[in-house]
Amino acid sequence: MFYLDFSGAFARWDVFAHGGLFTIGLSIVATLLGSVIGVIGAAARMSSFAPARAIAFSYVELIRNTPFLVQIYVIYFGLPSIGLRLGPMPAAIISLSLYAGAYITEIVRSGVGAIGKGQIEAARSLGLSPYLTFRLVILKPALAAVYPALTSQFILIMLASSIVSTISIPELTGAANDVQGLTFRSFEAFLLVAALYLALTAVFKGAFAAIDRHAFAFRHTGR
Amino acid sequence: MFQTFSLYHVWFLAQATTWTLLLSVIALVCGGLFGGVITLARVSPIAALRFIASAYIYVIQGTPLLVLLFIAYFGVAFAGYDVPALVAAAFAFTLYAAGFLGEIWRGSIEAIGRGQWEGATALGLNWSKTMRLVIVPQAVRFAIPPTVGFFVQLVKNTALASVIGFIELTRAGQIVANSTFQPLSVYLTVGAMYFVICSILSFIARELDARVNANAAQAGAH
């Protein structure tokens, strides 16, 4: 009958551990770079300079309406034919960051509207310096407004990072591919990796919720 | 030698697009049927069913689609069945779509005000009659825009089926790129085809969203 044999997969726990760390690192780097792109993109989207608006809008629509796999193929397989030969790691980081940047642009754009002009005027009239106004009245509420969407996006980026395994990056899904090639127990390897992704998701969601309660408690005072 | 990327290849890519759309529609229909079951379980008065449905949705939404595809693909082989790539891909995308549609449709059902439930109870309808005659017909209106939006995601995500050997647009692009040695032109063309399809579908989703919200605003909250 059918039997599940996890011994080969468990024996190679170090491959999965390295893959998991790689996934986490890749997701964090891509989210940080994507946030930089997102802030610039949101600023461009809302600027009065029409070409900047057009470029930012096209960028977001292009990334959101094409599959991530095709974006990776364009960057990793397509660019060398015009002379830009990237290794798998730079290609993965660039494509994942561009992917993240498009979604974060939209998140930042919706979050910026959360700060009313009246708040800034009130802060200045209370005698707060421009620096303190920015830190206490603009930055903190803006971060609180985008925090839920941003943390959800991080989880989505972590799940999307599994696709870079197709260009042989040794992250978690790539680790499963390696192990199933060594043990010939494909079903078990991928079941284990699915469980690891669920564990990673749960850990990060818990950490984000804890940060939310601690830093943004003012948003959750009951009414 | 190798071929030059020509309109003949673009026609080949366009034919592969039909397989992309076929897989997306199969996933939407079969995933919709299974997703409907998940939705009913999710809102049922039986706690065990609610738990099983939430667990299923949690697992599907917390696992990368590529891993899900591999599990379904190798799982089908593990169970002893030798199926064509389309069947394996359709099976995997059905599970994926059900997990997301279940959650989307739960939101639509919960958007129906309590007044409807109370009115149904006052008329003597039990849970299943209430769902069938009162709640679901009204929820369908709220469910259509996010479902169309999810269909856009589904069309994009069928690109991953290329990794388990199903010949759709992305895989066809790989084949053409390998035979013409012009990966940039080929993959940009593939991207453009996805862009056209998804832009049209996104536009339809936005229009439906605006129309449903306008109607809901007119009808007022109940």
Side-chain angles (χ1 to χ4, degrees):
Chain A
M1 231 356 235
F2 313 110
Y3 64 96
L4 284 173
D5 180 15
F6 281 95
S7 59
F10 286 154
R12 287 167 179 79
W13 63 271
D14 54 323
V15 181
F16 292 114
H18 283 133
L21 288 173
F22 218 98
T23 293
I24 296 173
L26 186 58
S27 312
I28 292 177
V29 168
T31 307
L32 287 174
L33 287 176
S35 301
V36 171
I37 297 174
V39 168
I40 298 173
R45 235 9 203 100
M46 301 183 301
S47 85
S48 40
F49 186 48
R53 272 205 314 273
I55 293 175
F57 178 72
S58 317
Y59 160 66
V60 170
E61 289 301 299
L62 222 63
I63 299 288
R64 294 206 323 181
N65 284 323
T66 50
F68 181 46
L69 187 61
V70 174
Q71 295 164 22
I72 293 178
Y73 284 166
V74 167
I75 291 173
Y76 185 59
F77 293 118
L79 288 184
S81 62
I82 56 169
L84 190 58
R85 194 169 303 268
L86 294 165
M89 265 308 287
I93 294 176
I94 291 174
S95 46
L96 199 54
S97 304
L98 287 175
Y99 179 76
Y103 289 93
I104 295 178
T105 301
E106 291 302 295
I107 291 172
V108 170
R109 200 165 67 92
S110 60
V112 160
I115 313 300
K117 230 180 133 37
Q119 297 273 312
I120 304 172
E121 289 170 0
R124 294 315 306 281
S125 65
L126 281 172
L128 290 178
S129 68
Y131 163 69
L132 274 179
T133 314
F134 179 72
R135 209 185 91 196
L136 298 170
V137 178
I138 298 176
L139 186 64
K140 192 147 184 184
L143 279 176
V146 301
Y147 185 78
L150 208 54
T151 53
S152 306
Q153 194 58 43
F154 175 80
I155 304 286
L156 292 173
I157 291 169
M158 196 167 66
L159 296 181
S161 71
S162 73
I163 301 178
V164 304
S165 65
T166 55
I167 57 171
S168 63
I169 302 286
E171 45 72 65
L172 198 48
T173 312
N177 265 320
D178 291 342
V179 169
Q180 65 118 347
L182 291 168
T183 63
F184 292 96
R185 310 298 314 183
S186 328
F187 194 45
E188 288 85 339
F190 284 107
L191 276 181
L192 185 57
V193 157
L196 288 174
Y197 271 111
L198 283 171
L200 277 176
T201 311
V203 163
F204 274 104
K205 275 194 193 161
F208 289 140
I211 296 174
D212 192 35
R213 275 194 305 271
H214 185 73
F216 301 123
F218 61 91
R219 275 169 69 87
H220 303 294
T221 49
R223 205 165 311 195
Chain B
M1 267 295 269
F2 54 87
Q3 309 166 8
T4 347
F5 183 48
S6 66
L7 278 178
Y8 171 73
H9 294 108
V10 175
W11 176 238
F12 176 65
L13 291 177
Q15 287 176 308
T17 310
T18 59
W19 289 102
T20 291
L21 291 172
L22 179 69
L23 179 61
S24 311
V25 167
I26 293 176
L28 189 68
V29 168
C30 300
L33 286 169
F34 187 32
V37 171
I38 300 283
T39 306
L40 290 174
R42 189 76 181 75
V43 300
S44 96
I46 305 173
L49 282 179
R50 281 202 308 271
F51 177 73
I52 295 175
S54 338
Y56 177 79
I57 292 173
Y58 182 75
V59 167
I60 298 290
Q61 293 196 352
T63 322
L65 176 56
L66 190 58
V67 174
L68 223 57
L69 276 173
F70 279 133
I71 289 177
Y73 178 68
F74 289 118
V76 163
F78 176 79
Y81 298 108
D82 180 23
V83 296
L86 173 60
V87 173
F91 176 61
F93 277 102
T94 299
L95 295 177
Y96 170 75
F100 281 83
L101 287 173
E103 190 67 3
I104 291 172
W105 292 345
R106 177 181 77 95
S108 317
I109 286 182
E110 292 187 350
I112 308 295
R114 275 224 66 79
Q116 298 290 310
W117 285 93
E118 288 167 1
T121 318
L123 285 171
L125 298 172
N126 63 14
W127 187 85
S128 64
K129 280 216 177 77
T130 310
M131 287 298 287
R132 188 165 53 93
L133 299 169
V134 178
I135 302 297
V136 170
Q138 297 183 62
V140 166
R141 204 171 31 120
F142 289 121
I144 290 180
T147 305
V148 176
F150 177 71
F151 185 62
V152 178
Q153 304 290 317
L154 207 51
V155 170
K156 276 197 300 172
N157 285 328
T158 55
L160 290 178
S162 64
V163 181
I164 62 170
F166 176 60
I167 311 280
E168 39 65 67
L169 182 51
T170 308
R171 187 79 188 95
Q174 278 183 307
I175 293 170
V176 172
N178 289 338
S179 66
T180 61
F181 287 91
Q182 293 183 51
L184 191 60
S185 320
V186 174
Y187 289 127
L188 285 180
T189 309
V190 167
M193 286 177 164
Y194 275 112
F195 184 77
V196 166
I197 298 172
C198 294
S199 299
I200 294 174
L201 289 170
S202 294
F203 175 74
I204 294 175
R206 273 199 295 272
E207 287 299 302
L208 285 172
D209 209 16
R211 204 169 297 182
V212 165
N213 284 336
N215 282 339
Q218 270 185 346
H222 38 261

